[in-house]
Amino acid sequence: MVDLLPAQSESWQKVESIARTHFSRAGLKEIRTPIIEKTELFSRGIGEGTDVVGKEMYSFDDRGGRSCTLRPEGTASVARSIIQHGLLNKGPQRLWYEGPMFRYERPQAGRQRQFHQIGVEFVGLASVISDAEAISIAWDFLKDIGLKDLTLELNSLGSNEDRFVFKEELKEWLEKRFDLLDEDSQKRIKVNPLRILDSKNNDTKKLLHDAPSLNDFLSKESKTRFDYLQNLLDDLNIPYKINYKLVRGLDYYSHTAFEITSDHLGSQATVCGGGRYDNLISELGGQKTPSIGWAIGMERLLILASDSILTSRSPDVYVIHRGLESEKLALNIARQLRSINFSIELDYSGSSFSKQFKRADKSGADWAIVIGENEVLKGQLKMKRLRNIGNKDGSKEYIFSTGELDKLIAKLNT
Ligand code: ATP
Ligand code: MG
């Protein structure tokens, strides 16, 4: 588990705030579900044969003997909540969520046991436009964060029927080559043969070059749907690459599956994963409800974010003071300026003025307010511009009486 330290939290807040802007512009509403759910929700929703359910969940019995799990992803919880509260009675739900997820994986760069996802779910929408809209929201958001060299990989997993026929064919093909498969893939043949397609094992990858392709098993309807999605993305100028081997880790997907990957992430290359899940809500006891969604891994996103996101914000004003009476005045002035939305940092060192000025410089503030015993006696504040901005003269000093704070504020705003 990883701490998020003060040096990073500001960048997280910026990313979250940009995400909120994108979501509210798209008319999405936020949903917050609990971090703990019944284990059964995930084993039914995500699927027993998946890595997530098979070996990555943090599950425990609570004091009432109920099996509980720290959520490994957000979609199943959102689906549960929608069913439980009958939200679909009000029409399709276009939602977003954010928060910690838990998976027992081997920690490495871009892979943690507690990580954070920001995700979007369109529940109750079947049209291909909703696929394109969901994808475009993810794409535009990532671009806005300053991510470069992104690739949108796209596939169609077809309908349940398409996949059923393909699965049998693939199973047969794989069973004939059982001895050539890596151990993990051998185990998967029975429970989840599709997952073998995105095996990371190099020998298996090579072998799979000649394997039957899901694309050849798509019905005419599924193909038309997939073509239309590509058509819409072309129209939106969102570039994509078809990857017939893209299957995604969770069981509930059908038709559209996609990932957004980056060249700059090494082996944990996927920033965003998503797809259509027309069967999940009915699997969990609701009505048949076509849906599409995606999730972005915040940690990976932050690894890729541009410098403008990663630089931290400086205070507007650094308040320098020496002596007991000065301290009181400093605290008072800081409070007044904060109440009108200036960000103020107070010095706490009590050291010499020159040392405090060094700190002020280091803080990145544009201004220093200086309060010494002299200033208190005269009822004055000294203010100094700490840096040259444009053609404004750095290191220039201004004096204001404590009774005319409005003049000081006017100066701060220049
Ligand atoms: P991967 O193939 O990298 O394990 P996944 O298919 O398991 O990804 P999803 O379940 O689709 O991932 O989750 C969506 C996104 O959440 C991923 O693309 C990734 O950015 C992020 N993510 C998933 N697992 C982790 C993790 N353990 N640590 C950090 N981020 C993660
Ligand atoms: Mg994974």
Side-chain angles (χ1 to χ4, degrees):
M1 308 289 169
V2 176
D3 292 314
L4 187 65
L5 298 174
Q8 305 153 316
S9 56
E10 221 172 310
S11 315
W12 278 62
Q13 286 169 9
K14 271 191 217 165
V15 169
E16 286 160 355
S17 139
I18 295 172
R20 284 202 170 87
T21 305
H22 279 254
F23 297 154
S24 77
R25 285 194 322 213
L28 310 186
K29 297 274 191 295
E30 185 184 6
I31 184 164
R32 300 188 192 189
T33 61
I35 284 169
I36 299 174
E37 298 272 0
K38 282 186 189 158
T39 301
E40 188 199 333
L41 171 67
F42 303 115
S43 45
R44 271 180 65 189
I46 300 173
E48 298 276 6
T50 60
D51 280 355
V52 170
V53 172
K55 41 187 184 189
E56 295 174 359
M57 291 205 301
Y58 281 89
S59 301
F60 60 96
D61 285 345
D62 74 1
R63 286 172 189 275
R66 289 164 291 227
S67 179
C68 301
T69 294
L70 297 182
R71 64 180 182 196
E73 54 106 55
T75 307
S77 303
V78 171
R80 181 216 28 86
S81 179
I82 285 176
I83 298 168
Q84 186 176 332
H85 301 284
L87 297 185
L88 290 165
N89 296 335
K90 302 187 182 88
Q93 298 292 306
R94 301 165 74 255
L95 306 171
W96 69 273
Y97 63 83
E98 184 207 6
M101 308 293 162
F102 304 84
R103 296 183 194 177
Y104 192 80
E105 299 195 76
R106 192 168 68 78
Q108 52 201 292
R111 194 175 291 290
Q112 297 173 187
R113 289 181 172 169
Q114 175 174 335
F115 62 101
H116 296 75
Q117 285 183 338
I118 213 161
V120 158
E121 313 289 359
F122 286 9
V123 182
L125 295 171
S127 72
V128 190
I129 304 189
S130 66
D131 298 41
E133 188 189 10
I135 292 174
S136 75
I137 291 172
W139 183 261
D140 293 343
F141 166 56
L142 292 174
K143 286 280 171 187
D144 220 10
I145 302 291
L147 269 57
K148 295 192 183 73
D149 306 318
L150 295 176
T151 309
L152 166 62
E153 295 188 36
L154 200 60
N155 193 17
S156 170
L157 303 177
S159 64
N160 292 351
E161 295 74 33
D162 302 343
R163 247 183 351 274
F164 184 80
V165 180
F166 173 67
K167 241 186 209 172
E168 291 309 307
E169 196 85 8
L170 180 68
K171 223 189 227 169
E172 204 173 295
W173 190 90
L174 289 166
E175 263 158 6
K176 281 187 197 141
R177 292 155 184 85
F178 189 86
D179 294 335
L180 300 170
L181 293 170
D182 62 283
E183 212 186 303
D184 239 15
S185 300
Q186 288 179 342
K187 278 190 209 142
R188 280 185 173 140
I189 288 195
K190 285 224 163 59
V191 269
N192 201 348
L194 279 189
R195 278 295 275 159
I196 300 177
L197 291 182
D198 78 350
S199 163
K200 305 280 183 295
N201 182 286
N202 280 332
D203 294 333
T204 303
K205 268 189 186 163
K206 257 187 227 145
L207 181 71
L208 287 168
H209 274 308
D210 307 319
S213 171
L214 179 50
N215 185 51
D216 297 327
F217 289 76
L218 295 187
S219 65
K220 202 162 153 252
E221 268 182 348
S222 301
K223 270 209 175 97
T224 308
R225 196 180 192 289
F226 192 29
D227 286 344
Y228 187 41
L229 175 59
Q230 293 170 47
N231 202 298
L232 290 173
L233 292 172
D234 289 337
D235 250 18
L236 295 173
N237 275 323
I238 297 178
Y240 55 87
K241 219 168 80 187
I242 306 289
N243 174 0
Y244 291 130
K245 295 238 153 53
L246 180 81
V247 285
R248 316 264 315 114
L250 319 177
D251 264 2
Y252 49 57
Y253 290 107
S254 51
H255 294 293
T256 308
F258 69 95
E259 289 188 352
I260 302 177
T261 57
S262 161
D263 296 343
H264 307 294
L265 275 175
S267 48
Q268 268 60 250
T270 309
V271 205
C272 174
R276 178 157 281 285
Y277 51 97
D278 292 350
N279 308 307
L280 178 64
I281 305 263
S282 53
E283 185 64 37
L284 295 175
Q287 308 255 324
K288 189 157 171 46
T289 310
S291 308
I292 179 153
W294 52 254
I296 284 175
M298 280 290 282
E299 284 79 7
R300 292 186 200 174
L301 177 53
L302 265 295
I303 293 174
L304 295 170
S306 67
D307 291 347
S308 67
I309 299 283
L310 300 176
T311 49
S312 73
R313 193 173 167 241
S314 308
D316 300 317
V317 182
Y318 193 94
V319 179
I320 289 171
H321 57 92
R322 247 172 100 75
L324 201 57
E325 288 307 311
S326 319
E327 167 176 293
K328 278 190 191 163
L329 184 56
L331 183 62
N332 196 303
I333 295 292
R335 186 171 181 230
Q336 289 189 57
L337 293 177
R338 284 170 185 158
S339 76
I340 50 170
N341 290 328
F342 287 104
S343 70
I344 313 292
E345 188 171 333
L346 267 183
D347 193 282
Y348 267 94
S349 65
S351 52
S352 67
F353 278 120
S354 67
K355 279 197 179 141
Q356 290 194 47
F357 262 113
K358 275 196 190 126
R359 284 171 203 276
D361 257 332
K362 228 169 134 189
S363 79
D366 289 339
W367 293 95
I369 288 179
V370 189
I371 308 172
E373 314 221 299
N374 252 339
E375 279 76 26
V376 174
L377 280 178
K378 290 191 205 150
Q380 283 178 341
L381 299 167
K382 211 191 279 170
M383 194 159 86
K384 195 167 170 185
R385 200 189 279 280
L386 291 174
R387 56 201 73 240
N388 291 305
I389 307 163
N391 57 4
K392 283 165 194 160
D393 184 13
S395 83
K396 213 169 172 177
E397 273 191 16
Y398 304 87
I399 306 235
F400 301 97
S401 95
T402 47
E404 45 179 29
L405 219 52
D406 49 331
K407 286 190 185 149
L408 179 147
I409 291 161
K411 194 79 220 167
L412 277 180
N413 279 323
T414 59

